[in-house]
Amino acid sequence: MSRVALVTGGTRGIGAAISISLKAAGYKVAANYAGNDEKAKAFEAETGIPVFKWDVSIYQSCVDGIASVEASLGAVEVLVNNAGITRDAMFHKMTPDQWNEVMNTNLTGLFNMTHPVWTGMRERNFGRIINISSINGQKGQMGQVNYSAAKAGDLGFTKALAQEGAAKGITVNAVCPGYIGTEMVRAIPEKVLNERIIPQIPVGRLGEPEEIARCVVFLASDDAGFITGSTLSANGGQFFV
């Protein structure tokens, strides 16, 4: 029987590539989204992947949303915590709202999504949690103190929870993408991309969403059962840990 995989932020960008790749690998996939109904419905129509709307920053919404997924597809066995937002500002101009919004989605969202599925994974002695962090959670980035702090927190969450899940057949890992050619990144002026960003990447190009998706598909597989608490950096050689 196909395993059920739930991808947050799963209808656009890296999340869409993850959802599509997991489906191609044989999983029954549910894609969560928060806001853009038109694009989510278009994604569902194009891919056949069912979409479910809720805000990962709200615990009860996650509980209810996961219940809807499980009623439709079955128990969630693979959870990909991909949903994330940015509210960039230099720290001296950053507002409490900009800090809290990013922390609530990008870090607290991991708790809100993982906590409701954790007991079931423990009972079944199987689970895969894959957290999409960022190169900027590893090295930091000016103008992104909130985002970098949250994404660094994702790595601490991963390492600690992996120790709790190991004896129950649950692996918890993180992927840290570098600059990926999503719609958001490709909207950066070409001059900035070519003169300031790509020269920092030793392989000489942006990554593709599908390259991150392949990392996730591997970590979700039975073949990755001995890998837990790990961080997989996919950044073209831009930063080494």
Side-chain angles (χ1 to χ4, degrees), residues 26-240:
Y27 294 86
K28 292 191 290 185
V29 180
N32 152 269
Y33 73 104
N36 195 318
D37 294 316
E38 182 179 351
K39 289 202 172 183
K41 293 302 181 185
F43 174 84
E44 184 175 53
E46 181 179 345
T47 64
I49 295 170
V51 300
F52 298 81
K53 183 179 183 179
W54 73 84
D55 184 345
V56 302
S57 72
I58 302 170
Y59 182 79
Q60 191 58 49
S61 296
C62 295
V63 171
D64 295 340
I66 290 166
S68 296
V69 170
E70 295 193 328
S72 176
L73 299 179
V76 172
E77 295 164 288
V78 176
L79 172 64
V80 184
N81 286 311
N82 169 73
I85 62 171
T86 56
R87 298 290 185 268
D88 295 352
M90 296 298 285
F91 187 69
H92 65 284
K93 295 182 178 180
M94 186 172 290
T95 66
D97 283 346
Q98 288 173 318
W99 173 269
N100 289 327
E101 287 173 15
V102 168
M103 296 301 290
N104 289 343
T105 295
N106 296 9
L107 180 55
T108 303
L110 269 65
F111 173 87
N112 293 345
M113 284 300 305
T114 307
H115 193 256
V117 303
W118 190 251
T119 297
M121 289 181 174
R122 283 172 50 84
E123 290 172 349
R124 292 186 297 274
N125 290 300
F126 180 87
R128 296 284 187 268
I129 308 293
I130 301 150
N131 301 316
I132 307 302
S133 179
S134 169
I135 185 175
N136 291 341
Q138 297 174 300
K139 72 176 186 62
Q141 177 63 41
M142 65 181 294
Q144 286 195 327
V145 169
N146 49 3
Y147 184 84
S148 295
K151 290 300 187 178
D154 292 348
L155 301 181
F157 178 99
T158 297
K159 294 172 185 178
L161 192 60
Q163 296 176 57
E164 296 189 22
K168 290 292 185 179
I170 308 168
T171 65
V172 188
N173 292 291
V175 179
C176 282
Y179 281 94
I180 306 301
T182 60
E183 180 181 341
M184 180 177 67
V185 171
R186 293 194 185 280
I188 295 172
E190 187 174 353
K191 181 179 175 68
V192 175
L193 275 175
N194 290 336
E195 295 183 7
R196 295 180 56 186
I197 293 176
I198 292 177
Q200 299 178 36
I201 305 171
V203 301
R205 64 174 177 86
L206 300 175
E208 294 298 331
E210 292 75 18
E211 293 178 297
I212 305 305
R214 287 193 285 273
C215 297
V216 172
V217 171
F218 169 65
L219 291 173
S221 71
D222 288 348
D223 290 340
F226 199 59
I227 301 172
T228 193
S230 294
T231 299
L232 179 53
S233 295
N235 60 38
Q238 186 178 353
F239 183 77
F240 301 118

